[in-house]
Each structure stands twice: as structure tokens, then as C-alpha cells.
Amino acid sequence: MQADDARLVARLRAGDQVAFATVVRQWSPAMLRAARFHVRTHASAEEVVQEAWLAVVRGLDGFEGRAQLRTWVFRILVNVARRRGRAESRVNAELREPTVDPGRFRDDDDPYPGHWRAEAAPVSWGPEPVLLAAEVRAVLEKGLAELPERQRAVVELRDVHGFDHEEVCELLDLTPANQRVLLHRGRAKLRGVLEGVLG
């Protein structure tokens, strides 16, 4: 480790706020640009930079000096940005999937385009005890197991374990909007499974 780097690391480990503020101010603009290569929005890139700085603070005692401090910080940033970019790609792929089979709706040339087809409209499931029957629970459990991983995690935490949306966002590192979309899509797929049984 170079002498300048060693002094900077020592100051940071000692909790020198001026040293930390200086490196954050100097390096963050380049970190933000690097993060933008991996994520879709400026806001996501800003969150990546913040997360990277938190990881730097947490990992500083373990920094061994095999690379320059700045290189180490940027490696952390890139790892965080790649992970966030992969997560965003999965979410965007899920967003492109229709929530309900488009074939259940009337065509554009129909007098009532976009409305439910008579044979494909949602069905009434009857009184609540029917929904609590063991067979229905088994079907729901199977449907839950077949959901995409992220939808399953959100639906299970919200509807099975009773976590609120803020807790789910924190546990799964999701934005509130992503959590809502995943919950909606997961519930819609489970409703489709139930319609197949109860319809």
C-alpha cells in the first residue's frame, strides 16, 4: 500500500469525518457514472453509490491494501451496481408479462373492446368456508410454489406471514413500486389457479 493510501486508510478507520467527506465528494461523481453502466435510472445509480459507501464503511477494517483504496471502493461499487442491474432486469422482464391472459378480453374490433369475454370473466367463488377447504389450500400452495421466485417471496411474506409492505421492501431490497407490482402479479396468478379449480 502506498504511503498516501495508508495514511488515508488510517484516518478513515479512525473515524476522521473530514477525510471521509473529502473522498465521498471527490469520488462519488465518477462512481455515479460507473453505476449508470449497470442500472437503468439516475435514481438507481444514486442508491447504488450510497449502498457502496455503506459497504465501504462496514468493510474498511478488512481492507488489506492489496489494491489502492480507490480501486477497492470502485470494485465494491461495481459489484453493488451489477447486483442491482440484474435485479432491475428481472423486474422489467416481469413487468412485460401480462397480469391476466390477454385472450380473456374482447378484441379491438368487438363492440366492447377490452371488456371480459363472457366465457372468461372472473367467477364468484362462493362462501368463505369453500376457500378454506383443504383441497383449495393444497392448490394454492402448489400455485405459490410455481410462482417466479420474486413474486413468490413477496406474496408469501405479505399474505402468508403477514409482513407489511415496508418490511417486505426492507427484507427483499425492493422499492415500494416493485413490491406492489410483484404482489399484484403474484396474486393475479394465484387467482387464475383458483379460477381453474373453482370455476
Side-chain angles (χ1 to χ4, degrees), residues 128-162:
E128 189 173 333
V130 173
L131 293 177
L132 300 178
E135 306 86 56
V136 174
R137 283 198 308 273
V139 168
L140 277 176
E141 287 173 8
K142 183 175 184 296
L144 184 63
E146 292 173 354
L147 289 176
E149 180 182 344
R150 292 162 55 82
Q151 290 178 15
R152 181 175 66 246
V154 172
V155 171
E156 190 169 332
L157 287 172
R158 289 292 307 275
D159 295 342
V160 177
H161 298 295

Side-chain angles (χ1 to χ4, degrees), residues 47-59:
E47 290 175 8
V48 165
V49 172
Q50 289 175 3
E51 188 177 337
W53 280 120
L54 288 173
V56 167
V57 170
R58 286 192 297 265

